[in-house]
Amino acid sequence: MSHDESLEVEVYLQPPPADALAGASAIVLDIFRATTVHAALFAGGAEAIYPVADFAAGVALREMLPGSVLIGEVGALPPAEAAFGNSPTEFTAMEVSGWTVVHVTSNGTRALSEARQADIALSGCLRNVSATLSAVLERRPERIAIVCSGDGGGTAPSVEDSFAAGAYVAALKRMRPDIRLRGGARLALKLYDAYGRAPARAFADSPHGDHLRKLGFDADFGFAGALDASSDVIELAADAAGRPVLRVR
C-alpha cells in the first residue's frame, strides 16, 4: 500500500465478533493485566506463552506441554490450578528464562484467542506501543484494528484499555499523519487526550484498578503505565499442532 492511500484505523472498545478482524492487522490490549504480563515474561526471557480462554482448557494444555507453567486469574487472583497469578510485577521478580507458559485470564487471553482470523495479531500494551506499531506498519496494512479486552469477559469497555487504545492512535497519527480514523478510534483518542495523556490519571478512574488496589497490586500500575519501556514485538502465531502461541519476533 502506498502512502497516498488512506490507512484505516478502528478501535474496538470491547472484543468484536472474530470475523470482524478478517483482513486486519490486529493489536490486542489488556492493560490490567494480561498483555502487560506478556511484556514482563518476555522481558525476563520466557520462550512462549499460550493464551487460553478458561482453566479447564489451560489444565489440559499444561498436561500436553511437559514442563510448562500454568498462570492466570479468576477475579484477579490465581485459582488452585495455577502455579502463579496474573501480576506483571510478580514475574519481574522471578527467574522466568526459558519458560513455556499457559496463560488464562478473564479478558485478555480470551480476546487474543479470538483474534486468529486477523492477518496478524499482536499482544500490545503501553510498554511496547512504538515497537508494536512499527512492526504493523512494516506490513503496509490497509486496516489496523486495535482491540480492547475490556471487563467482564469482554462484555463491557474498560477505562485503562480504552485509554491505551488512544495512546496507540496518537502514536499512529505521529507516524502516519494520513491515517483515517473510524468512530472507535476517534473516541479512544479523545479519551486519551481528556486524561492529559497521563496513564496514572486514567488508571485512577478505573473500577478494575480499584479492585486491584484493594487486593494489594499497587505496584502493577507504574509498570503498566511505563510508555515505550520495551522494544519487544509479541506476535500471535500457531505452533506445530495449530494452537495459538505468543512469541517475540
Side-chain angles (χ1 to χ4, degrees):
M1 186 177 95
S2 65
H3 277 205
D4 59 357
E5 297 176 35
S6 182
L7 169 59
E8 181 180 278
V9 179
E10 178 60 290
V11 168
Y12 295 97
L13 299 180
Q14 57 201 83
D19 58 4
L21 301 180
S25 292
I27 302 167
V28 177
L29 309 178
D30 183 1
I31 305 307
F32 301 158
R33 293 170 286 166
T35 57
T36 302
V37 166
H38 301 157
L41 285 167
F42 283 123
E47 181 69 24
I49 302 172
Y50 286 81
V52 181
D54 62 73
F55 270 98
V59 169
L61 182 55
R62 179 188 60 190
E63 299 305 312
M64 289 187 277
L65 298 172
S68 63
V69 180
L70 177 61
I71 71 169
E73 55 78 26
V74 174
L77 294 173
E81 300 95 323
F84 301 100
N86 193 42
S87 165
T89 54
E90 176 181 14
F91 297 108
T92 60
M94 297 171 58
E95 175 55 63
V96 301
S97 181
W99 277 20
T100 294
V101 176
V102 179
H103 190 195
V104 183
T105 71
S106 301
N107 304 300
T109 57
R110 292 173 185 268
L112 276 162
S113 298
E114 294 170 1
R116 299 173 67 185
Q117 290 195 36
D119 283 0
I120 181 176
L122 303 178
S123 172
C125 62
L126 287 170
R127 296 182 66 85
N128 63 359
V129 174
S130 293
T132 300
L133 289 175
S134 293
V136 168
L137 291 174
E138 284 174 4
R139 296 175 59 89
R140 304 176 70 82
E142 295 183 0
R143 183 163 66 98
I144 295 175
I146 301 169
V147 178
C148 300
S149 298
D151 285 339
T155 60
S158 73
V159 173
E160 62 277 7
D161 290 353
S162 302
F163 171 88
Y168 272 80
V169 174
L172 269 170
K173 283 175 64 66
R174 292 192 300 270
M175 299 165 82
R176 282 286 303 273
D178 61 318
I179 60 174
R180 180 162 58 92
L181 304 183
R182 299 193 64 185
R186 293 193 297 272
L187 181 59
L189 182 59
K190 287 181 178 179
L191 180 70
Y192 181 60
D193 288 337
Y195 279 112
R197 304 194 169 198
R201 291 179 60 184
F203 294 174
D205 270 354
S206 165
H208 187 39
D210 290 342
H211 179 58
L212 293 174
R213 287 183 193 90
K214 290 174 183 176
L215 294 174
F217 291 115
D218 301 70
D220 287 351
F221 300 109
F223 188 86
L227 187 66
D228 281 337
S230 172
S231 59
D232 284 342
V233 177
I234 303 170
E235 183 172 355
L236 186 69
D239 70 3
R243 297 173 294 221
V245 60
L246 292 162
R247 301 184 189 275
V248 172
R249 288 181 57 174

